Amino acid sequence: MSSIFLPAGRALLAAAFFSSALVAGHAQTVHPTPNGMQVTGNAFTIEVTALRDDILRVREWREDHRPEDASWAVLADRRAARSSVTATPHGFRTKSVEISVDNEMRLTVRDLSGNVLQQQAEAPVYDGSNFRLYMDLDNDEHFFGLGDKPGPLDRRGMSFVDWNTDIGWSESTDPIYKSIPFFYSWRAGRVLGVLFDNTWRASFDFGKDREHEYSFGSVNGPIDYYLMYGPSPAQVTEDYAWLTGNTPMPPKWTLGYQQSRFSYVPESNVLDIAKHLRDDKFPVDGIDLDIDYQQNHRPFTVDRQKFPSFEQMIQQLKDENIHVVAITDLHIASLPNAGYKPYDEGEAQNRFIKMPNGKDFVGWVWPGNTVFPDYSAADTRAWWGTLYTEFAKEGIAGFWNDMNEPSVFNTPNKTIPDEALENIRGDQDFGFKDRVTNHLEIHNILGMLQTEGTYEGLKTLRPNERPFVLTRASYAGGQRYAATWTGDNSSTWNHLRLTTPTLENLGLSGFAMAGADVGGFLGSPQMDLLTKWFEVGAFQTIDRDHTVDTSKPQEPWVGGGTHEAIRRRYVETRYELMPYLYTTVKTMSQTGLPVVRPLFLDFPNDAADHHPIDLDAPGQFMFGADLLVAPPRFPEETDDYPVIFPKGIWYDYWTGARIEKLNDATNPVTITPTLEVLPVYARGGSIIPEQPLTQSTVEKPNGPLTLRVYPDAEKACAGTVYDDDGISYDFEHGASLRMEAKCTATPDGLTVSIGAHQGSYPAWWREVQLEVYGFPNRPKAQSAGQDLEVRQAPTRSAWQITIPDDGKGAEIHIVTSGS
């Protein structure tokens, strides 16, 4: 395997390669184009194209080796997009940025006020097929993204490798499962996104090797990267989603609680787990089946001794509103002459990855001898999708693609050999011509291509049902096909702490549908640790309790009634917040803005010196735009700890108390940690929708829709409720429901306006219950000239007002007592 090129004498190499350009500036030729420029010098070419005013594509190549205009990550119509530019003496400008090149072939990107966003320290440095790009590093520059790399939220001072790897990870482990070569550069509040679109083994160094430079490069492949200017981080997030595709709207049940283990066997054990959850009134929407449901771990089989009534079990769970997610690993058992359909079909159709001698590569994985579909061929991905036919008919709701780094147990590099051959075939939609390549080019995208085959196959088999695919390995753009999780985490307090920055960086990197195994996968958690993990897990986009086969039981009831009651309370809160969560996920599917996100995404300018506010508030995160979750910086600590708030008014979600210590990081709110409380706060200015408790997302809530009204300092607020049937694509044809609500100040109180229902999907509620915060004394309320009853909320400092909702909208006037 080739190593990453980190040359010590890169300046000398660059000087030698570009000597003509360095000595004589006239060797450089600039060709303006309607959408950018092409610069040639010393048999080296730079092409910069404006796809939009705020998005540039940079491609560089030597001599006549212009690379394919192709990408597995960036959508074809986005690559083809063009924006007009204005030529300048040394480059061009758009309505958002200006780009220039000097006589040493170094690019500089500035905003229109002249602030440098990115500046090459020198021309690209080559060593054979290896190359590296070096950029000037600002003194207070910060970096975020790169997917599921363990460690702190800010990547500065660290280095990383992109090479998908199956590993039980620790805080310093790199690489792990995914290669998402996209990062945010933050300079004084101005944010630039960089997508380095190269599938080969790549690396990133954010000031670890050189104090004043950051760099990225690869062992082979093209220099092809995209620059996205915000200036806000949220705009960069949306730009990245525009380039690489949004996360599709998931089935609603995937937002419910899921119970999993490696593995629940036999069939009776699965049913017992489901019964225990339902008997304990512990809300649940899914049970995941790991590889032991299969016959000898062979994908697309069922062990009939362990699961004699598999189809009936699926139906029985479905009748209990519990969805089954079944694992189907990337590989196929090598099993000739045994009637194993996936192998027989694949072998007959020449579907498997070959070695240079023309024979199938055979590795050792869970089934024993194993072959690997060549997912780089479009027709093989389509064939893979057909393998789900029987499972789809049987009603398995979701599928879990694992071991897809790909993992191989018996090779020196623990994956497919570098020299294995794979066929890029039929991939014109991505811009690729048919050709044969080696595994080094395909390795990092194999998992993503598997999930594309799974996702598209399920859409073909069940055309009006949203697929749910869960993957461990992927590449940039993989969010179009699958959700993900953080892989084989450990049952330690430190891994609970690492959950938040890992999920935040995944969300910033496109994978907003993500979670971490509650309780940890490797090991057995202490009971307090499991309980605290349940609390945090309730505020993850995917909430799944999963553990290894050698661990002790890790179900919600383990540890006794006190622990189970606390865990239940948080999962119940998640279900009560389902209207808020589902609405947030709808926004995610349209914009790319993640559910679990750093504070700086919503509050980019809160720090006086424009640094990201999260650096002052490690461990805190936003759950959607309106809820701030504030676990201890070190989850096991018992000492008091500070909570830092962005500017504005905040309310304790549990008590309704208004937060008084605001906007002063030197005097934050101090929290005394307890086992039963995870601090959560609602943003002043928000309206948060909630529903009566249900035991699954399929169950229709019984009672009013609650709107928690949190006025800001000007007594203004706004919120949205979105709903649809939760499973089909009918929402694309108008079968959805959207309702807006807002509050505005009046001289003697405020007015809450509930908008008319939009869309044809019927509301499950017939009444709306306002829960209004910020009034110390009982207010009065009227609607349409009628006095309304105002009640004290049972457990919070708030006032409740219930009105009928006929879908036409209403205004409620709330005035302070005595007015």
Side-chain angles (χ1 to χ4, degrees):
M1 185 185 299
S2 301
S3 60
I4 294 297
F5 177 49
L6 289 168
R10 61 192 186 285
L12 294 176
L13 286 170
F17 190 84
F18 296 103
S19 57
S20 176
L22 287 167
V23 174
H26 64 270
Q28 180 190 97
T29 304
V30 179
H31 303 279
T33 71
N35 313 111
M37 67 179 179
Q38 191 175 95
V39 184
T40 302
N42 261 7
F44 178 75
T45 300
I46 303 173
E47 181 182 79
V48 187
T49 305
L51 309 185
R52 286 188 347 196
D53 288 335
D54 56 347
I55 300 179
L56 306 175
R57 184 183 185 187
V58 181
R59 305 173 72 202
E60 306 184 13
W61 61 89
R62 291 181 292 180
E63 300 175 338
D64 296 324
H65 300 144
R66 184 187 180 105
E68 293 174 286
D69 182 8
S71 175
W72 301 105
V74 177
L75 300 172
D77 61 339
R78 305 310 196 233
R79 285 188 290 108
R82 295 292 183 269
S83 179
S84 59
V85 304
T86 301
T88 63
H90 301 288
F92 67 88
R93 67 173 176 268
T94 72
K95 295 178 181 178
S96 297
V97 295
E98 182 171 341
I99 190 162
S100 60
V101 61
D102 66 13
N103 64 356
E104 297 180 21
M105 301 288 280
R106 298 180 302 190
L107 291 176
T108 299
V109 183
R110 296 178 172 87
D111 67 13
L112 297 185
S113 297
N115 298 298
V116 172
L117 306 173
Q118 185 187 77
Q119 186 168 35
Q120 287 187 346
E122 55 190 281
V125 180
Y126 286 92
D127 180 15
S129 65
N130 290 270
F131 64 86
R132 197 153 198 88
L133 291 90
Y134 292 86
M135 309 292 176
D136 289 343
L137 178 60
D138 197 64
N139 288 335
D140 55 359
E141 193 165 1
H142 305 276
F143 299 93
F144 308 95
L146 287 188
D148 60 354
K149 304 293 189 185
L153 179 63
D154 188 355
R155 307 301 197 183
R156 179 160 183 149
M158 306 177 72
S159 63
F160 302 94
V161 172
D162 271 359
W163 184 254
N164 293 359
T165 302
D166 174 12
I167 192 168
W169 53 272
S170 65
E171 185 168 3
S172 59
T173 304
D174 184 68
I176 59 172
Y177 312 105
K178 298 171 191 68
S179 295
I180 308 179
F182 170 62
F183 62 89
Y184 297 62
S185 161
W186 178 300
R187 290 187 174 199
R190 293 177 288 273
V191 182
L192 184 75
V194 182
L195 170 61
F196 175 44
D197 192 11
N198 182 302
T199 66
W200 298 70
R201 187 182 182 99
S203 66
F204 304 81
D205 188 300
F206 298 113
K208 181 178 180 181
D209 178 52
R210 293 283 175 168
E211 183 179 359
H212 300 295
E213 295 174 0
Y214 76 89
S215 64
F216 53 92
S218 179
V219 301
N220 208 323
I223 297 180
D224 190 353
Y225 61 99
Y226 298 79
L227 303 175
M228 293 146 264
Y229 180 49
S232 73
Q235 184 59 54
V236 171
T237 304
E238 295 192 46
D239 290 347
Y240 179 73
W242 180 84
L243 270 180
T244 64
N246 286 316
T247 298
M249 191 66 181
K252 186 184 286 187
W253 66 263
T254 64
L255 304 177
Y257 173 72
Q258 296 182 48
Q259 187 65 52
S260 183
R261 183 179 178 84
F262 175 23
S263 293
Y264 286 131
V265 289
E267 181 180 296
S268 59
N269 184 217
V270 178
L271 295 174
D272 287 345
I273 293 293
K275 185 177 186 301
H276 201 154
L277 288 162
R278 286 289 180 241
D279 287 349
D280 285 13
K281 295 193 179 302
F282 199 100
V284 64
D285 267 88
I287 289 182
D288 294 11
L289 300 182
D290 213 318
I291 59 174
D292 288 318
Y293 81 91
Q294 301 165 338
Q295 183 178 0
N296 298 321
H297 300 155
R298 299 166 188 162
F300 303 104
T301 66
V302 174
D303 188 327
R304 292 295 175 177
Q305 291 187 338
K306 297 175 183 175
F307 291 83
S309 305
F310 185 74
E311 296 82 3
Q312 292 89 331
M313 180 194 74
I314 301 296
Q315 185 59 50
Q316 183 175 339
L317 292 170
K318 185 177 181 180
D319 291 342
E320 292 286 333
N321 292 332
I322 297 176
H323 303 77
V324 171
V325 178
I327 198 167
T328 51
D329 287 341
L330 168 135
H331 46 253
I332 296 292
S334 180
L335 206 64
N337 306 315
Y340 177 44
K341 181 181 176 181
Y343 178 82
D344 292 343
E345 281 190 358
E347 190 64 22
Q349 298 174 24
N350 197 28
R351 298 294 182 197
F352 302 130
I353 292 172
K354 300 286 192 289
M355 295 301 290
N357 63 8
K359 295 183 178 180
D360 293 343
F361 166 67
V362 179
W364 188 270
V365 202
W366 293 114
N369 283 334
T370 303
V371 290
F372 298 81
D374 184 357
Y375 296 101
S376 60
D379 52 10
T380 295
R381 297 196 296 275
W383 166 76
W384 172 263
T386 68
L387 298 180
Y388 290 91
T389 300
E390 294 305 315
F391 281 169
K393 288 179 181 177
E394 290 162 3
I396 296 177
F399 294 94
W400 173 10
N401 290 167
D402 204 349
M403 304 296 289
N404 53 354
E405 290 73 30
S407 179
V408 182
F409 296 161
N410 66 332
T411 56
N413 62 354
K414 301 301 180 185
T415 190
I416 294 172
D418 296 351
E419 65 271 20
L421 300 178
E422 293 163 61
N423 289 271
I424 297 175
R425 184 173 65 240
D427 291 308
Q428 286 76 21
D429 287 349
F430 296 99
F432 292 97
K433 297 179 180 179
D434 290 358
R435 57 184 172 87
V436 177
T437 187
N438 63 37
H439 184 68
L440 289 169
E441 182 178 1
I442 301 299
H443 175 88
N444 282 338
I445 59 171
L446 208 64
M448 180 181 79
L449 296 179
Q450 181 208 10
T451 62
E452 184 204 352
T454 304
Y455 180 82
E456 297 296 343
L458 292 172
K459 286 185 69 176
T460 299
L461 293 168
R462 299 189 290 216
N464 198 30
E465 183 174 328
R466 303 173 216 169
F468 176 65
V469 182
L470 185 67
T471 187
R472 191 169 67 181
S474 200
Y475 181 72
Q479 72 273 2
R480 301 190 295 263
Y481 315 117
T484 193
W485 86 107
T486 61
D488 295 352
N489 59 357
S490 296
S491 300
T492 66
W493 289 102
N494 193 44
H495 271 238
L496 173 56
R497 178 182 64 84
L498 290 170
T499 291
T500 293
T502 304
L503 290 177
E504 287 175 318
N505 275 315
L506 270 170
L508 292 172
S509 307
F511 277 91
M513 279 294 293
D517 287 344
V518 169
F521 178 72
L522 298 173
S524 298
Q526 305 166 23
M527 289 302 97
D528 285 5
L529 170 60
L530 182 58
T531 296
K532 297 307 290 185
W533 215 316
F534 261 92
E535 294 174 9
V536 174
F539 296 93
Q540 295 175 176
T541 316
I542 293 178
D543 185 9
R544 183 181 75 153
D545 176 2
H546 181 56
T547 187
V548 72
D549 55 348
T550 56
S551 73
K552 296 177 182 178
Q554 197 166 292
E555 288 72 35
W557 50 83
V558 171
T562 299
H563 282 286
E564 184 181 11
I566 298 171
R567 299 163 190 165
R568 182 191 296 109
R569 177 195 179 202
Y570 281 86
V571 174
E572 287 178 346
T573 297
R574 179 184 183 89
Y575 277 75
E576 290 168 345
L577 279 166
M578 195 57 63
Y580 171 76
L581 176 55
Y582 198 58
T583 302
T584 302
V585 167
K586 177 63 175 179
T587 301
M588 172 203 75
S589 74
Q590 296 171 315
T591 65
L593 295 173
V595 178
V596 174
R597 61 226 221 181
L599 278 60
F600 69 62
L601 205 66
D602 296 286
F603 307 98
N605 301 309
D606 271 49
D609 61 355
H610 303 294
H611 72 265
I613 187 176
D614 300 78
L615 303 186
D616 304 321
Q620 297 178 204
F621 64 94
M622 297 299 295
F623 185 65
D626 297 326
L627 289 177
L628 187 157
V629 185
R633 300 182 179 202
F634 298 95
E636 72 275 31
E637 72 180 9
T638 57
D639 294 337
D640 292 355
Y641 68 95
V643 173
I644 305 297
F645 291 93
K647 296 174 184 176
I649 303 297
W650 293 86
Y651 298 82
D652 188 308
Y653 177 80
W654 306 115
T655 69
R658 178 169 159 154
I659 306 303
E660 300 297 337
K661 296 180 180 179
L662 298 177
N663 312 327
D664 183 0
T666 63
N667 188 23
V669 170
T670 299
I671 298 295
T672 300
T674 63
L675 178 65
E676 64 274 12
V677 176
L678 171 65
V680 180
Y681 302 92
R683 181 181 61 83
S686 65
I687 296 178
I688 296 178
E690 293 186 347
Q691 68 181 32
L693 177 63
T694 63
Q695 293 300 303
S696 80
T697 60
V698 178
E699 181 183 336
K700 182 179 178 180
N702 182 20
L705 171 73
T706 294
L707 297 179
R708 288 198 183 197
V709 178
Y710 295 103
D712 64 12
E714 287 74 40
K715 293 186 178 180
C717 57
T720 302
V721 184
Y722 173 85
D723 200 17
D724 56 36
D725 66 15
I727 191 66
S728 78
Y729 288 101
D730 292 351
F731 70 92
E732 295 180 344
H733 309 289
S736 62
L737 167 66
R738 184 177 294 274
M739 187 182 81
E740 309 287 346
K742 65 179 181 179
C743 69
T744 53
T746 63
D748 53 1
L750 58 81
T751 295
V752 178
S753 301
I754 299 174
H757 296 186
Q758 305 169 43
S760 63
Y761 188 73
W764 52 260
W765 65 89
R766 294 294 176 265
E767 294 180 316
V768 170
Q769 175 177 270
L770 301 181
E771 194 165 283
V772 184
Y773 293 79
F775 285 80
N777 300 312
R778 186 188 303 271
K780 299 176 182 179
Q782 281 192 341
S783 180
Q786 299 295 314
D787 291 337
L788 301 174
E789 179 186 3
V790 179
R791 307 176 306 278
Q792 171 72 55
T795 60
R796 295 179 291 275
S797 299
W799 304 98
Q800 295 178 337
I801 304 160
T802 302
I803 63 167
D805 182 17
D806 60 5
K808 298 179 180 179
E811 283 196 347
I812 301 91
H813 305 286
I814 303 170
V815 298
T816 56
S817 297
S819 298

